[in-house]
Amino acid sequence: MAGNDWINSYLEAILDVGPGLEDKNSSLMLRERGKFSPTRYFVEEVITKFDETDLRRSWAMASSIRDSQERNTRLENMCWRIWNLARKKKQLEGKESQHRQKLESGQGMISKALIVDMSEELSEGEKVETVKDLSPMGVSPKGGLKRVNSVDVFNNFATQQKEKKLYIVLISLHGLIRGENMELGRDSDTGGQVKYVVELARALGAMPGVYRVDLLTRQVSAPGVDWSYGEPTEMLNPLNIDEGESGESSGAYIIRIPFGPKDKYIPKELLWPHISEFVDGALSYILQMSKVLADQIGDGKPVWPASIHGHYADAGNAAALLSGALNVPMLFTGHSLGRDKLEQILKQGRQSKDDINTTYRIMRRIEAEEITIDASEVIITSTRQEIDEQWGLYDGFDPVLERKLRARNRRNVGCFGRFMPRPVVIPPGMEFKHIVPHKDEDPDGNQDGSTTPDPPVWSEIMRFFTNPHKPIILALARPDPKKNLTTLVKAFGECRPLRELANLTLIMGNRDAIDEMSTTNSAVLVSILKLIDKYDMYGQVSYPKHHKQSEVPDIYRLAARTKGVFINPAFIEPFGLTLIEAAAYGLPMVATKNGGPVDIQKALDNGLLIDPHNQQSITDALLKLVADKQLWARCKQNGLKNIHLFSWPEHCKTYLARIACCKPRHPQWESSAVGYEYSEAQSPEDSLRDLNDLKISLDGVIHDQGTTSDNSQNPDKNSHSIKTKSSVGKKLDLLAKLSLKLEKLGGSKKETLAKIGSQDKLEFPGLRRKKSIFVVAVDCGMTKDFVELLNIVIEIVRVEKKGESVGLILSTAATISELRSFLKSSKIGLSEFDALICNSGSEIFYPPSSSEGSQKSLQLVMDSDYSSHIDYRWGGEHLKNTLVHWASSIRERKKDQEFVVADDSDSRHCFTFRIKDSESIPPVKDLREFLRKQALRCQAIYCHNGTKLNVIPMVASRAQALRYLHVRWGINLSSTVVIVGDYGDTDYECLRGGIHKTLVIKDVCNESKKLHNNRSYPLEHVITFDSPNVVLADGCKKNQLSDAMEKLGTLKV
């Protein structure tokens, strides 16, 4: 055991000295200058001078004395790692003895590969500078793959972020998501996005400064689906065990939220009506987690997410609602976009727009993507092309205007209430730790002398070939029409020289029988099989039925071994992660020129781009790469040399820097904001110095000169009319006078409202005590029928149940003054309600209990926190000016007839217009398009049967107000009953979804049906009619309502 005394002393010395470098910014440079590292010296002494059995004894001893002290825990972990390193060293030395000629000259030094492994195994406090970056092959970075997972990548970043403990939420709803053995290609929803979000969560969880990452998805417990997709929680194994934060709840997790049909796995196109249900479930989970993290890292204060990141349109829609409910920053990644897909399908000429909408719910998807533009602070894209050519198709995004608004903000020039999300190009990452690119064969034909047997998947592929030694053209994609595999097969079949030079391998997911595949996928596969038969390509095309995800690297290696080519011929490819994977294994690429491959080729310079609609273009590119061995070798080498640009550490560093630039917007009543401090100077953005013309178009008519400075970004500050006049001077004068008049009226009334009550004086314990809540949200106007309905609900709730544990909320589009007058004339006391949601969800008031004052002197208390909560991106007076201009433009078109008249509003967050002729106003979708094209972020709602227009902040709505009450006061949404009519205001659809119960009164509010006629998508694409949480009442009589409530199970009437 004498040797162990020496080992123990060395280990103690390593703990004592640490890295031993004063300058932590460039360990490689210090080493090159000959500086001495004690830590490295002690590790080398231990590994080179002692047997692994002695090292194991030290680990056993350290393990036996483990206690809660950090030092002993680190000692145990370090003993185990160094013992492991010694074993790896012994294995490496055994292999190296077979190739003495390849060994570097040295006297007792440790092999470079071992030193690289050592750098990965040491914990954060024990990391030191290592030898120069090596590729997994051990070659120089000049000619091989730069090692991107070494400690040097994190050196500076870890130092800067070590004090931060972020909580990040990712959302990806469709497909089957799990951490291991992903079933990629099982169906069209379980593809590259699934792999991307899992690896992103895992990589972020390993980053310094990130405490916890939750990937929220759908819980699926259905026949034919593995049980693992029904597990509520799954912890993702970290990339490197010593990276990231440590704590009871730290790390990366998949959290599965139940929503949608139970015991049924449905495609993403059918998930839309259930998005609100997911939002409510996710909101409850995040609230619970914020309390858990409060004890661990928040000093007792709730820890809110630093950001909520939605992936794809469905998750983006959900993230927008969650971001608004929690008031935290939102990020979005589209992966693929609806408008672009619609254009591509229409270009093929196979389906009409109506057919496309029926099949893909494409218009609902596009509206969701417009919503994400309204709500997102950052839109993450893979390529610049995605920003300019795809996002530029949307009403709410203009790449040129976005840069102008950003430049105006920097130069302290007002933006007139305009807002635009920031697009950022962050290529997807990849973990290269386990990747070993293919090595060329030696002169004897042996693969570097390796005796390792070939992977089983190789024989599964090569059994199709007559001559398996020819280069392999590899395509890895689902049999989906947009992947364009049939054109690839035709190009291969019709080119005799290409068929003589190469074989074709199609990895098209997994299948048991063609008849069991989806209609679309089976049609593509049958077409491919017919083409193989037509061109008699038997023995030249491989299309195996099954492969495991873990076998994909072996497939890449096989293609590289044969000096083959990887091809992605898709009509459009949002990014093309498989192109990065192929390059990492030394495989040149041929890829579509539409989408992400353009940027990938620019960075890697490892292949050729083709026009996917041009079959000859595909043939020429493949033939050129396969036939020209010098070009092939150059493309391979370029790919290996530049692949580090797409590593996960690089991706996450840029990602976290973007979050750092988002100003924290945690709930206003909470003072804790665990996360980054806002710093525009840290923004890793493109230069704006080339922008000299900062003029922006206002209302499509007025143009400012881009030189004035105002405070229009702050809605709390009054801003006056535009200082410069255009050719429409008279109209400008009219606008200025009208807006000044409205401003004065609004200001005086706001002061009056501020005096009627102070929220700080009350904690509103009434809502907290309620076990169930009834929300009356029937949009039939202030009529006698509405009075009768209110009295019946009050009688059921207050009289029969004595109001002990039941709350009552009134939700309406009316103003608070209109509501008070109506209730007074109807002899209904304000104290009957626990809360009043007014102005279409832009204001919340609370009446004090009746014991605190008589009904006559009863003062309503406005929730000022909610007013601050919904202030995000509110355009204020500039938005009002635009709306007034819009109203006057309608008057001009109708020859001076007033159809829309601005109303005097006493609300800061609701601009109201009276509509004199509802038949002549544009549908709400056109008004939304108009506002989005002006970069004004708000919601326009037709209400009161089309006689009134309310314009409110984008994060406000009656449904969002209920979620706010859930967050603020803890009301139980699952025990809440929302009472609505058959139809209602144009925000009616938002009240029909979620985990709350809905009571629909038949034949009520049918007059509002006309408001829903001219829609982009049918109502059934956004609400569900067969949910167990929805019950129909045959009328608004007491017995009819009682029977419906009894069916819901909330009240036993």
Side-chain angles (χ1 to χ4, degrees):
M1 293 291 292
N4 283 89
D5 294 334
W6 281 97
I7 295 173
N8 297 339
S9 65
Y10 280 132
L11 296 177
E12 291 289 337
I14 292 172
L15 290 176
D16 288 336
V17 301
L21 296 173
E22 295 181 1
D23 183 3
K24 299 181 180 180
N25 293 326
S26 182
S27 58
L28 288 176
M29 290 300 297
L30 286 173
R31 186 185 317 108
E32 290 167 0
R33 296 169 190 162
K35 294 295 180 71
F36 175 73
S37 168
T39 304
R40 181 167 176 263
Y41 169 77
F42 289 136
V43 172
E44 290 183 5
E45 286 293 295
V46 171
I47 296 178
T48 56
K49 294 185 178 180
F50 298 96
D51 187 81
E52 62 171 303
T53 55
D54 290 333
L55 294 173
R56 190 186 186 286
R57 290 194 196 101
S58 290
W59 168 74
M61 182 183 69
S63 178
S64 65
I65 63 172
R66 180 178 59 180
D67 56 23
S68 60
Q69 295 182 12
E70 180 188 0
R71 184 181 181 86
N72 286 347
T73 302
R74 289 175 63 203
L75 177 64
E76 178 201 356
N77 291 338
M78 187 171 58
C79 288
W80 186 88
R81 286 193 296 276
I82 293 180
W83 169 44
N84 235 4
L85 291 177
R87 296 174 63 193
K88 290 182 181 179
K89 170 181 174 288
K90 190 173 183 179
Q91 295 171 1
L92 285 172
E93 288 176 344
K95 293 181 180 179
E96 289 171 352
S97 64
Q98 301 175 16
H99 303 280
R100 295 289 182 182
Q101 68 278 11
K102 295 183 180 181
L103 289 176
E104 297 180 358
S105 59
Q107 291 79 32
M109 297 298 292
I110 310 174
S111 68
K112 289 185 177 181
L114 180 58
I115 295 294
V116 171
D117 284 337
M118 179 183 70
S119 70
E120 296 163 9
E121 295 293 343
L122 292 179
S123 65
E124 199 64 41
E126 300 151 4
K127 288 175 181 175
V128 296
E129 75 276 18
T130 60
V131 296
K132 291 185 178 181
D133 284 341
L134 299 174
S135 74
M137 296 171 59
V139 298
S140 167
K142 295 180 180 179
L145 177 62
K146 181 179 178 181
R147 192 164 188 86
V148 294
N149 59 332
S150 68
V151 296
D152 295 316
V153 173
F154 292 97
N155 195 17
N156 294 333
F157 188 81
T159 302
Q160 297 169 2
Q161 314 302 333
K162 63 181 179 181
E163 300 300 326
K164 296 178 170 61
K165 294 182 182 295
L166 295 183
Y167 173 37
I168 297 174
V169 173
L170 311 177
I171 305 175
S172 183
L173 298 184
H174 62 261
L176 297 172
I177 299 180
R178 63 185 179 190
E180 306 296 333
N181 300 319
M182 289 176 272
E183 299 181 84
L184 303 183
R186 170 191 170 120
D187 53 64
S188 60
D189 292 347
T190 309
Q193 179 182 327
V194 169
K195 182 178 180 181
Y196 171 83
V197 294
V198 170
E199 292 189 352
L200 174 62
R202 203 193 310 268
L204 284 173
M207 290 297 289
V210 177
Y211 186 78
R212 182 181 176 97
V213 179
D214 281 334
L215 170 56
L216 308 186
T217 187
R218 184 181 177 222
Q219 185 182 40
V220 181
S221 301
V225 175
D226 191 78
W227 62 271
S228 59
Y229 300 110
E231 290 294 299
T233 304
E234 177 185 349
M235 183 174 184
L236 295 174
N237 295 326
L239 293 175
N240 291 305
I241 196 169
D242 296 315
E243 293 175 0
E245 297 290 334
S246 60
E248 185 178 346
S249 300
S250 64
Y253 298 81
I254 297 175
I255 305 298
R256 299 183 178 92
I257 307 294
F259 71 100
K262 294 182 178 178
D263 304 326
K264 191 176 181 181
Y265 174 51
I266 59 176
K268 59 180 178 291
E269 289 81 11
L270 302 183
L271 284 177
W272 292 112
H274 311 287
I275 296 295
S276 295
E277 186 181 352
F278 166 81
V279 171
D280 291 344
L283 185 60
S284 297
Y285 169 80
I286 293 174
L287 291 176
Q288 179 185 0
M289 183 51 59
S290 71
K291 297 174 183 177
V292 171
L293 297 181
D295 297 332
Q296 298 179 20
I297 60 174
D299 296 327
K301 298 178 181 178
V303 175
W304 305 104
S307 66
I308 297 177
H309 186 174
H311 293 267
Y312 195 79
D314 49 10
N317 198 159
L321 294 174
L322 279 171
S323 170
L326 291 169
N327 205 15
V328 298
M330 174 189 166
L331 284 66
F332 179 67
T333 301
H335 293 276
S336 68
L337 299 180
R339 286 197 187 275
D340 186 69
K341 179 172 182 174
L342 178 61
E343 281 196 355
Q344 294 291 333
I345 298 177
L346 288 174
K347 189 183 295 184
Q348 296 173 22
R350 299 173 183 171
Q351 292 177 286
S352 67
K353 189 173 181 179
D354 289 339
D355 291 338
I356 296 170
N357 197 29
T358 301
T359 304
Y360 298 105
R361 307 291 198 265
I362 200 74
M363 299 311 297
R364 176 65 182 92
R365 173 180 170 181
I366 289 172
E367 175 60 22
E369 289 161 345
E370 293 281 9
I371 290 171
T372 65
I373 295 174
D374 290 337
S376 297
E377 294 202 23
V378 177
I379 292 178
I380 296 177
T381 70
S382 301
T383 65
R384 186 72 214 177
Q385 183 266 358
E386 186 179 343
I387 297 173
D388 296 334
E389 299 183 19
Q390 297 184 46
W391 280 111
L393 298 173
Y394 286 80
D395 299 331
F397 186 79
D398 181 344
V400 175
L401 179 58
E402 185 276 326
R403 298 189 76 223
K404 285 187 177 183
L405 292 177
R406 188 151 40 93
R408 292 171 71 98
N409 274 323
R410 284 191 171 187
R411 301 176 194 182
N412 199 28
V413 178
C415 295
F416 302 97
R418 271 70 178 165
F419 300 92
M420 195 76 73
R422 171 72 197 281
V424 180
V425 178
I426 311 179
M430 186 175 173
E431 174 56 38
F432 302 113
K433 179 180 178 181
H434 304 295
I435 292 180
V436 179
H438 164 75
K439 299 180 183 181
D440 293 336
E441 294 183 353
D442 61 26
D444 297 329
N446 297 321
Q447 191 72 19
D448 296 318
S450 175
T451 58
T452 305
D454 292 341
V457 73
W458 287 14
S459 59
E460 181 66 19
I461 291 173
M462 291 190 292
R463 67 184 176 87
F464 287 83
F465 298 139
T466 304
N467 182 356
H469 300 292
K470 291 195 295 185
I472 289 177
I473 297 171
L474 173 64
L476 186 66
R478 301 187 311 272
D480 189 289
K482 63 185 179 183
K483 297 301 182 181
N484 200 26
L485 293 179
T486 52
T487 305
L488 169 63
V489 176
K490 284 184 67 177
F492 184 77
E494 293 179 3
C495 181
R496 177 62 59 181
L498 187 59
R499 291 171 59 178
E500 292 175 353
L501 281 174
N503 292 321
L504 177 63
T505 294
L506 304 174
I507 305 298
M508 299 178 289
N510 289 282
R511 64 186 183 277
D512 289 322
I514 296 178
D515 292 340
E516 297 175 2
M517 300 172 66
S518 67
T519 304
T520 304
N521 290 356
S522 63
V524 173
L525 182 56
V526 169
S527 297
I528 290 173
L529 295 178
K530 288 181 178 179
L531 288 171
I532 292 172
D533 186 73
K534 176 181 178 180
Y535 296 109
D536 193 15
M537 292 186 286
Y538 297 104
Q540 296 174 320
V541 181
S542 173
Y543 43 95
K545 295 179 65 173
H546 298 284
H547 73 281
K548 299 176 183 177
Q549 180 60 29
S550 59
E551 293 176 326
V552 172
D554 293 325
I555 297 174
Y556 288 130
R557 289 192 187 98
L558 174 61
R561 179 183 183 180
T562 63
K563 291 184 168 55
V565 176
F566 182 81
I567 182 168
N568 181 338
F571 289 115
I572 185 164
E573 181 58 61
F575 180 68
L577 190 59
T578 52
L579 299 173
I580 305 298
E581 294 175 344
Y585 288 93
L587 202 54
M589 74 169 188
V590 170
T592 176
K593 68 175 185 178
N594 298 329
V598 175
D599 285 357
I600 294 176
Q601 167 62 12
K602 188 181 298 183
L604 297 183
D605 190 22
N606 72 325
L608 302 172
L609 299 177
I610 49 97
D611 178 0
H613 298 280
N614 187 338
Q615 180 179 317
Q616 190 60 43
S617 173
I618 297 174
T619 302
D620 292 344
L622 289 173
L623 195 57
K624 185 175 182 179
L625 262 181
V626 172
D628 190 340
K629 294 305 178 184
Q630 290 185 348
L631 174 62
W632 185 93
R634 186 164 64 251
C635 288
K636 170 189 173 181
Q637 200 66 20
N638 287 345
L640 293 174
K641 180 175 64 176
N642 299 318
I643 197 67
H644 68 277
L645 298 172
F646 298 96
S647 69
W648 274 121
E650 291 294 331
H651 178 99
C652 291
K653 283 162 60 180
T654 308
Y655 182 101
L656 294 175
R658 288 315 318 166
I659 294 179
C661 296
C662 296
K663 189 174 182 179
R665 291 169 26 224
H666 55 283
Q668 292 295 322
W669 61 90
E670 300 289 354
S671 59
S672 172
V674 178
Y676 287 92
E677 296 180 359
Y678 176 79
S679 174
E680 184 66 25
Q682 297 174 3
S683 175
E685 55 198 332
D686 57 301
S687 173
L688 299 173
R689 294 177 182 175
D690 60 316
L691 282 180
N692 296 316
D693 178 13
L694 299 186
K695 297 178 183 178
I696 57 176
S697 172
L698 305 179
D699 309 330
V701 176
I702 307 167
H703 299 270
D704 80 297
Q705 300 303 313
T707 57
T708 59
S709 175
D710 66 35
N711 295 317
S712 64
Q713 299 291 12
N714 188 347
D716 294 331
K717 297 182 180 179
N718 294 328
S719 57
H720 297 286
S721 60
I722 304 169
K723 295 184 179 180
T724 57
K725 292 187 178 182
S726 67
S727 59
V728 287
K730 292 182 180 180
K731 191 174 293 183
L732 257 179
D733 291 336
L734 178 64
L735 278 175
K737 292 177 182 178
L738 181 55
S739 58
L740 184 61
K741 177 183 176 182
L742 292 174
E743 184 178 340
K744 289 179 178 178
L745 287 172
S748 61
K749 293 192 176 184
K750 280 187 280 185
E751 292 175 3
T752 304
L753 280 175
K755 295 177 181 177
I756 65 175
S758 172
Q759 182 184 337
D760 296 335
K761 296 179 182 179
L762 294 172
E763 294 185 359
F764 309 108
L767 278 175
R768 293 186 184 274
R769 291 198 303 263
K770 305 304 181 184
K771 294 182 179 178
S772 60
I773 302 285
F774 280 78
V775 181
V776 180
V778 180
D779 300 324
C780 57
M782 306 297 182
T783 62
K784 291 182 179 180
D785 291 338
F786 188 55
V787 174
E788 182 182 350
L789 173 64
L790 281 178
N791 283 321
I792 291 174
V793 174
I794 290 171
E795 182 181 354
I796 294 174
V797 174
R798 301 299 187 197
V799 178
E800 296 194 13
K801 305 306 293 184
K802 304 193 184 323
E804 294 177 357
S805 61
V806 182
L808 185 60
I809 296 174
L810 182 57
S811 179
T812 176
T815 65
I816 188 61
S817 57
E818 291 173 340
L819 197 55
R820 292 190 71 162
S821 300
F822 168 73
L823 293 176
K824 183 178 180 180
S825 64
S826 304
K827 298 181 180 180
I828 299 175
L830 288 171
S831 59
E832 297 288 355
F833 303 95
D834 295 279
L836 301 171
I837 299 174
C838 305
N839 284 323
S840 299
S842 62
E843 290 179 334
I844 299 178
F845 290 89
Y846 307 99
S849 62
S850 57
S851 61
E852 296 183 26
S854 65
Q855 175 66 25
K856 202 168 188 179
S857 61
L858 194 62
Q859 288 188 340
L860 293 171
V861 180
M862 184 171 70
D863 194 327
S864 57
D865 283 335
Y866 183 68
S867 296
S868 299
H869 190 89
I870 64 176
D871 222 16
Y872 177 63
R873 288 189 173 174
W874 179 235
E877 295 301 320
H878 292 301
L879 170 61
K880 182 186 292 185
N881 290 343
T882 302
L883 292 169
V884 172
H885 181 102
W886 167 77
S888 66
S889 68
I890 293 180
R891 177 178 177 177
E892 287 182 357
R893 290 198 303 269
K894 300 299 181 180
K895 299 181 180 179
D896 292 332
Q897 298 183 48
E898 285 191 322
F899 291 97
V900 182
V901 181
D903 203 1
D904 291 345
S905 175
D906 57 4
S907 172
R908 186 180 119 192
H909 288 113
C910 180
F911 300 144
T912 302
F913 294 81
R914 286 179 287 111
I915 299 172
K916 294 187 176 181
D917 184 359
S918 60
E919 301 296 330
S920 301
I921 60 172
V924 70
K925 66 175 184 178
D926 293 347
L927 183 52
R928 288 173 183 166
E929 177 184 343
F930 165 76
L931 292 169
R932 282 167 175 161
K933 286 182 176 178
Q934 299 295 320
L936 294 165
R937 309 303 173 182
C938 55
Q939 294 197 62
I941 301 168
Y942 287 131
C943 40
H944 290 182
N945 297 328
T947 62
K948 185 178 177 182
L949 170 67
N950 281 347
V951 180
I952 63 175
M954 66 167 191
V955 296
S957 71
R958 289 187 287 171
Q960 287 292 83
L962 290 179
R963 294 189 177 104
Y964 169 85
L965 295 176
H966 172 54
V967 175
R968 185 71 171 97
W969 306 116
I971 70 170
N972 189 348
L973 291 177
S974 62
S975 298
T976 298
V977 178
V978 178
I979 303 174
V980 298
D982 260 342
Y983 290 91
D985 300 346
T986 53
D987 66 341
Y988 161 83
E989 61 193 46
C990 300
L991 296 167
R992 285 288 302 265
I995 63 175
H996 65 256
K997 297 174 175 62
T998 305
L999 194 159
V1000 182
I1001 306 176
K1002 294 175 64 176
D1003 301 324
V1004 173
C1005 304
N1006 282 339
E1007 299 87 352
S1008 300
K1009 183 177 181 179
K1010 60 185 178 182
L1011 300 177
H1012 300 270
N1013 286 336
N1014 194 354
R1015 301 173 56 94
S1016 300
Y1017 48 87
L1019 203 58
E1020 56 265 25
H1021 286 186
V1022 68
I1023 65 175
T1024 180
F1025 294 93
D1026 57 356
S1027 169
N1029 286 336
V1030 179
V1031 170
L1032 296 179
D1034 294 329
C1036 55
K1037 302 297 183 183
K1038 180 180 178 181
N1039 64 314
Q1040 294 170 327
L1041 293 178
S1042 298
D1043 291 343
M1045 291 180 185
E1046 190 172 4
K1047 291 178 182 177
L1048 287 172
T1050 304
L1051 288 180
K1052 303 295 183 183
V1053 184

